[in-house]
Amino acid sequence: MAQQDDVFKKIVSHAKEYGFVFPSSEIYDGLSAVYDYGQNGVENKNNIKRYWWDAMTLLHENIVGIDSAIFMHPTIWKASGHVDAFNDPLIDNRDSKKRYRADVLIEDDIAKIDDKIEKEVAKARKRFGDSFDEAMFRQTNERVAKLVEEREALHERFSKAMNDGNLDELRQIIIDREIVCPISGTRNWTEVRQFNLMFKTEMGSTADGAMTVYLRPETAQGIFVNFLNVQKTGRMRIPFGIAQIGKAFRNEIVARQFIFRMREFEQMEMQFFVRPGEELKWFQTWKEFRLKWHKALGLGDEKYRYHDHEKLAHYANAATDIEFQMPFGLKEVEGIHSRTNFDLSQHEKFSGKNIKYFDPELNESYTPYVIETSIGVDRMFLSVLCSSYEEQQLEGGDKRVVLHLPAPLAPVKCAVMPLVKKDGLPEKAREIVGELKFDFSTHYDEKDSIGKRYRRQDAIGTPFCITVDHQTLEDNTVTLRERDSMEQTRVSVDDLHKLIHDRVSINSLLRKLK
Ligand code: ATP
């Protein structure tokens, strides 16, 4: 674990050092859980968004996009349930004055028992070697059985308390389990209370006329309230989807793990409207398609897992998370939810408007059911960054830090470098940049030794380096160096465009989704 913490720290400082992610307001000592994207980060993030947007809207003729405002009528949040129920249970430690989510403290405690179980299994595996029968061991080992029993009991008690919204019971679990504050080490806890995660502000200039509005905690509601607008103006027929990318805001109690949990973040959400009764079929379809989208990036199929929800939100009839192996554990990057007709019905009720769809094939009107796919851009960015980072020991004692970013997501696609700063090589290199820059984000670099220049590009994940030397002037060929293998090949300048395009285009990813 300590080793993984170390790697994660290195990734965070690498992200800053190479212009991917900066703490917000840094010269004023930062603002907790808010981050800015730098010159490389923004390109990487834009590429992630482009990949998602195209996968939704280009590949599906029945999905269109919108861009709704962040401010919306406050009644929307009443209708959606966010005013009354978008809460987290909060608890303070009186000695450290630190604030925690009660549910997270208990979840961490459950994870500790899981760790203990896994350690027992790992020890036994080492002891028994090849003859180890893991399933048998898990069933029969007394210590493991006891731990499993302890875990199940705790999990059941915790789930019940969460389902019942029983805050006293949550506190009692923390007391009974002797959970201590990681900062003060004490068990001097306050009561548990509900904390609403929405940010509020005022709209309007006069005190009397001012209205409380919220910064949206999800982009989905902007889609629901535009359902009829899009359906009618786009003459959409069910099933169809509406996609949106945009900022969302949550006043998270404990924001940790860098950009994993932020107070201002970005979501990519798609609401797919279907006939009542067909939602579970579509839920399955979207569940599969979304995992395929992730896997096409080539970060490693084994790093993903579905986590089906046992506890469903009151409006959902199926839900799953796509989890990804981060350095700090398997974590949710995307949620896929079958939201029934809850949202549209609620908006119908609160607005008094008819939000039904007339189905010409069935010759009847109904409130459509909805499958939602909801993914955080920043969490996606983090998963890409973490799985791309490598410190490589090279032959001859050299070291390099390389980001094996999926080429279509890399902020810079190619860097063109004259071997020396004279003899017409810079001019030739500039000429090549002049051609490539129309299609690819291209760097020109002539400073330092060629080795150092390669390292700089490796560190930001540039898939290709193109070196112009004296031979280039004679036969119009260059050295094309590939980031991951560091292999260098001599290619004609005329072939560069195609060679690069085949590897770096978003299109090459989209084709894997067929
Ligand atoms: P969590 O349980 O981690 O708080 P959630 O289940 O509340 O997440 P959803 O409401 O389903 O998350 O939001 C959909 C997606 O938005 C999440 O899968 C995640 O990628 C992203 N997301 C949610 N909250 C944050 C946040 N505070 N910072 C960054 N991304 C977030």
Side-chain angles (χ1 to χ4, degrees):
M1 201 61 186
Q3 209 179 355
Q4 284 184 334
D5 282 354
D6 269 3
V7 174
F8 190 51
K9 276 192 195 135
K10 283 185 185 165
I11 293 171
V12 174
S13 61
H14 187 88
K16 183 171 169 216
E17 190 180 340
Y18 286 91
F20 283 88
V21 182
F22 306 126
S24 156
S25 324
E26 202 186 2
I27 58 169
Y28 291 95
D29 297 332
L31 183 66
S32 164
V34 186
Y35 289 90
D36 298 335
Y37 284 81
Q39 67 280 12
N40 289 318
V42 68
E43 297 291 344
N44 193 349
K45 191 165 136 171
N46 283 342
N47 292 333
I48 292 172
K49 290 195 269 185
R50 168 63 45 205
Y51 173 40
W52 184 86
W53 189 263
D54 286 354
M56 285 298 175
T57 63
L58 290 187
L59 298 194
H60 299 94
E61 59 189 58
N62 56 351
I63 297 184
V64 292
I66 61 163
D67 184 19
S68 72
I70 287 172
F71 288 137
M72 293 196 274
H73 195 287
T75 309
I76 287 173
W77 303 112
K78 225 22 216 164
S80 67
H82 283 81
V83 171
D84 296 322
F86 195 50
N87 300 321
D88 276 340
L90 167 158
I91 191 166
D92 293 290
N93 181 270
R94 290 198 184 92
D95 298 321
S96 66
K97 310 266 183 287
K98 287 279 171 207
R99 183 158 281 187
Y100 298 92
R101 266 173 64 176
D103 56 330
V104 172
L105 286 178
I106 300 171
E107 274 166 8
D108 286 352
D109 195 47
I110 295 176
K112 272 190 199 148
I113 306 179
D114 285 337
D115 269 359
K116 279 188 198 160
I117 296 172
E118 291 317 309
K119 271 198 193 122
E120 290 293 332
V121 174
K123 256 194 333 208
R125 187 178 299 119
K126 215 164 153 196
R127 202 166 56 232
F128 293 112
D130 286 346
S131 61
F132 184 53
D133 182 342
E134 183 174 327
M136 179 66 101
F137 177 79
R138 280 181 190 273
Q139 271 172 20
T140 52
N141 181 274
E142 229 172 81
R143 248 190 88 66
V144 169
K146 248 189 157 155
L147 286 166
V148 169
E149 196 183 321
E150 181 185 343
R151 186 201 185 282
E152 290 311 308
L154 176 57
H155 186 261
E156 200 176 314
R157 193 175 163 198
F158 169 57
S159 298
K160 183 164 174 1
M162 287 297 283
N163 277 328
D164 298 347
N166 187 342
L167 302 183
D168 291 341
E169 173 68 352
L170 284 178
R171 181 171 193 276
Q172 201 50 51
I173 296 176
I174 291 172
I175 302 294
D176 292 350
R177 294 288 306 169
E178 304 186 345
I179 296 174
V180 297
C181 162
I183 307 287
S184 66
T186 72
R187 285 183 252 149
N188 194 3
W189 297 111
T190 61
E191 297 303 302
V192 176
R193 54 190 195 284
Q194 292 289 22
F195 177 77
N196 192 284
L197 299 184
M198 282 200 295
F199 285 98
K200 274 187 207 165
T201 188
E202 305 256 290
M203 184 177 265
S205 55
T206 61
D208 314 339
M211 162 162 85
T212 300
V213 289
Y214 301 95
L215 296 188
R216 66 181 178 198
E218 62 174 32
T219 62
Q221 297 304 323
I223 295 179
F224 292 125
V225 296
N226 277 297
F227 166 74
L228 278 187
N229 283 337
V230 175
Q231 191 269 314
K232 293 215 161 104
T233 58
R235 297 168 50 218
M236 310 299 292
R237 283 186 169 205
I238 273 180
F240 75 91
I242 305 179
Q244 163 153 249
I245 299 179
K247 287 271 176 142
F249 305 83
R250 295 181 188 180
N251 197 4
E252 299 279 1
I253 298 171
V254 199
R256 21 172 215 187
Q257 283 138 350
F258 191 38
I259 56 172
F260 182 78
R261 188 174 298 286
M262 300 199 287
R263 298 207 164 99
E264 172 179 342
F265 58 100
E266 215 167 350
Q267 289 186 315
M268 307 188 281
E269 297 198 295
M270 194 278 299
Q271 311 293 327
F272 198 71
F273 301 94
V274 304
R275 277 183 190 157
E278 292 190 354
E279 70 275 12
L280 293 180
K281 177 188 91 185
W282 284 108
F283 174 75
Q284 194 54 32
T285 305
W286 281 107
K287 196 172 150 177
E288 283 161 22
F289 180 79
R290 292 304 308 148
L291 189 61
K292 205 165 165 189
W293 181 92
H294 285 274
K295 287 187 173 173
L297 285 168
L299 303 179
D301 288 4
E302 72 292 349
K303 293 191 176 135
Y304 298 91
R305 177 177 86 175
Y306 287 123
H307 173 232
D308 294 327
H309 288 207
E310 292 161 34
K311 178 193 165 220
L312 293 172
H314 58 283
Y315 51 81
N317 65 4
T320 196
D321 295 335
I322 294 179
E323 294 185 333
F324 185 80
Q325 187 67 54
M326 302 277 188
F328 42 88
L330 265 165
K331 297 285 168 186
E332 169 185 347
V333 289
E334 172 157 7
I336 298 145
H337 312 121
S338 174
R339 291 178 78 125
T340 65
N341 61 1
F342 173 79
D343 301 88
L344 290 180
S345 305
Q346 284 292 97
H347 289 305
E348 191 159 45
K349 195 159 109 196
F350 278 73
S351 69
K353 307 278 180 336
N354 178 357
I355 317 187
K356 299 239 174 355
Y357 169 79
F358 177 74
D359 193 323
E361 278 169 44
L362 297 182
N363 202 22
E364 69 178 64
S365 290
Y366 53 79
T367 309
Y369 272 48
V370 173
I371 306 303
E372 163 182 84
T373 71
S374 173
I375 168 170
V377 179
D378 312 273
R379 284 197 191 172
M380 193 57 213
F381 182 101
L382 188 60
S383 58
V384 170
L385 188 68
C386 290
S387 51
S388 298
Y389 180 90
E390 191 191 7
E391 285 173 16
Q392 245 179 11
Q393 202 64 49
L394 303 176
E395 276 170 34
D398 234 6
K399 246 169 86 170
R400 71 165 181 162
V401 172
V402 54
L403 287 188
H404 301 284
L405 297 174
L409 303 186
V412 177
K413 304 301 188 209
C414 50
V416 186
M417 310 167 171
L419 190 60
V420 289
K421 263 195 273 182
K422 53 182 186 182
D423 304 337
L425 301 189
E427 289 75 9
K428 180 68 185 171
R430 287 256 180 227
E431 192 186 306
I432 295 172
V433 172
E435 270 310 306
L436 295 178
K437 73 178 179 190
F438 288 99
D439 294 299
F440 313 113
S441 142
T442 309
H443 265 191
Y444 172 80
D445 192 1
E446 59 175 25
K447 269 204 209 100
D448 300 321
S449 71
I450 201 79
K452 272 197 182 150
R453 283 182 266 172
Y454 285 158
R455 293 290 168 275
R456 273 204 290 272
Q457 296 301 330
D458 289 342
I460 62 168
T462 306
F464 293 111
C465 288
I466 297 159
T467 307
V468 173
D469 55 21
H470 291 92
Q471 195 187 328
T472 312
L473 303 181
E474 285 161 24
D475 62 5
N476 206 34
T477 61
V478 286
T479 307
L480 186 68
R481 172 190 181 268
E482 201 272 333
R483 176 196 65 200
D484 298 339
S485 63
M486 293 186 286
E487 232 168 61
Q488 305 192 9
T489 40
R490 199 80 203 171
V491 303
S492 164
V493 170
D494 301 331
D495 295 337
L496 278 178
H497 190 282
K498 183 172 175 356
L499 286 167
I500 297 171
H501 181 269
D502 286 353
R503 277 283 305 282
V504 309
S505 71
I506 296 271
N507 199 315
S508 64
L509 286 178
L510 295 176
R511 285 188 181 279
K512 295 188 191 166
L513 304 180
K514 268 201 283 189

